[in-house]
Amino acid sequence: MADASEGGIMRRGRNETEEERADRMWVELIQEVRVAQMGVQILFGFLLTVVFTEKYDDLSGTDQTIYLVTVVLGACATGALIGPVSLHRLVSGRRVKPQAVRLASRLTLLGLVLLLATTTASLLLILRVATHDGFVPYLVAGVVGWYLLCWFVLPLWTRHRYTSK
């Protein structure tokens, strides 16, 4: 039920105004982003060093292309996952927190998709270099399936199963 008391709209489930809800959601989002940022920054940092190793020159043209695509994906994931911090800093105090939270949430989701792509491409490259067996695409597909299950399927199932219509 909605209640317009105290100048704000009250939401079902919690007794908070839209601004209070935005504040709470912002704190939760930033905590989530911190975890994802750490992962993407470590992965991206390691990726940046590969080109300076002797092994890079020995990579096939296909593997070098996979590497370049992986680095670009990592750069894009880093940008998307750092984006909410910049967004917050640039709009702080402008009374647009609910809108900023929605935009930051979308950037975070995009960052997670790009992190999935970066991790997938990294795994593909590493396994192609480590072994030239034909099972590599199947192994990578299995890991991607696992990521999809953990990162998207289970959360979306939980959202569908336990939220009211």
Side-chain angles (χ1 to χ4, degrees):
M1 290 186 162
D3 181 4
S5 65
E6 298 182 34
I9 295 176
M10 304 305 268
R11 303 241 179 230
R12 183 182 304 179
R14 290 187 187 239
N15 190 18
E16 57 190 2
T17 65
E18 182 181 19
E19 289 297 320
E20 291 168 335
R21 181 173 190 264
D23 288 340
R24 178 180 54 80
M25 291 181 71
W26 182 261
V27 169
E28 292 173 2
L29 180 67
I30 288 303
Q31 288 297 94
E32 295 164 3
V33 167
R34 283 184 182 140
V35 172
Q37 277 180 347
M38 180 67 71
V40 75
Q41 287 172 337
I42 290 169
L43 178 58
F44 187 53
F46 281 118
L47 285 170
L48 291 176
T49 65
V50 170
V51 74
F52 299 107
T53 65
E54 291 177 27
K55 183 79 172 169
Y56 182 78
D57 292 332
D58 297 336
L59 293 178
S60 70
T62 300
D63 290 339
Q64 287 184 358
T65 299
I66 293 170
Y67 170 75
L68 293 174
V69 168
T70 305
V71 168
V72 170
L73 286 169
C76 292
T78 300
L81 290 170
I82 293 174
V85 175
S86 177
L87 174 68
H88 181 263
R89 183 54 24 225
L90 293 173
V91 303
S92 183
R94 304 288 180 169
R95 300 183 186 265
V96 294
K97 186 167 273 182
Q99 297 83 357
V101 168
R102 283 191 293 276
L103 183 55
S105 181
R106 290 182 183 127
L107 274 172
T108 303
L109 183 58
L110 175 61
L112 290 174
V113 170
L114 289 167
L115 178 57
L116 173 67
T118 305
T119 306
T120 300
S122 298
L123 183 61
L124 177 63
L125 179 61
I126 290 166
L127 292 177
R128 281 177 55 94
V129 171
T131 178
H132 300 287
D133 290 337
F135 71 86
V136 168
Y138 301 107
L139 186 56
V140 172
V143 172
V144 170
W146 176 249
Y147 287 160
L148 290 171
L149 178 69
C150 293
W151 293 6
F152 299 104
V153 174
L154 288 175
L156 288 171
W157 175 81
T158 302
R159 178 175 155 176
H160 174 75
R161 173 81 170 90
Y162 296 106
T163 58
S164 59
K165 308 283 185 219

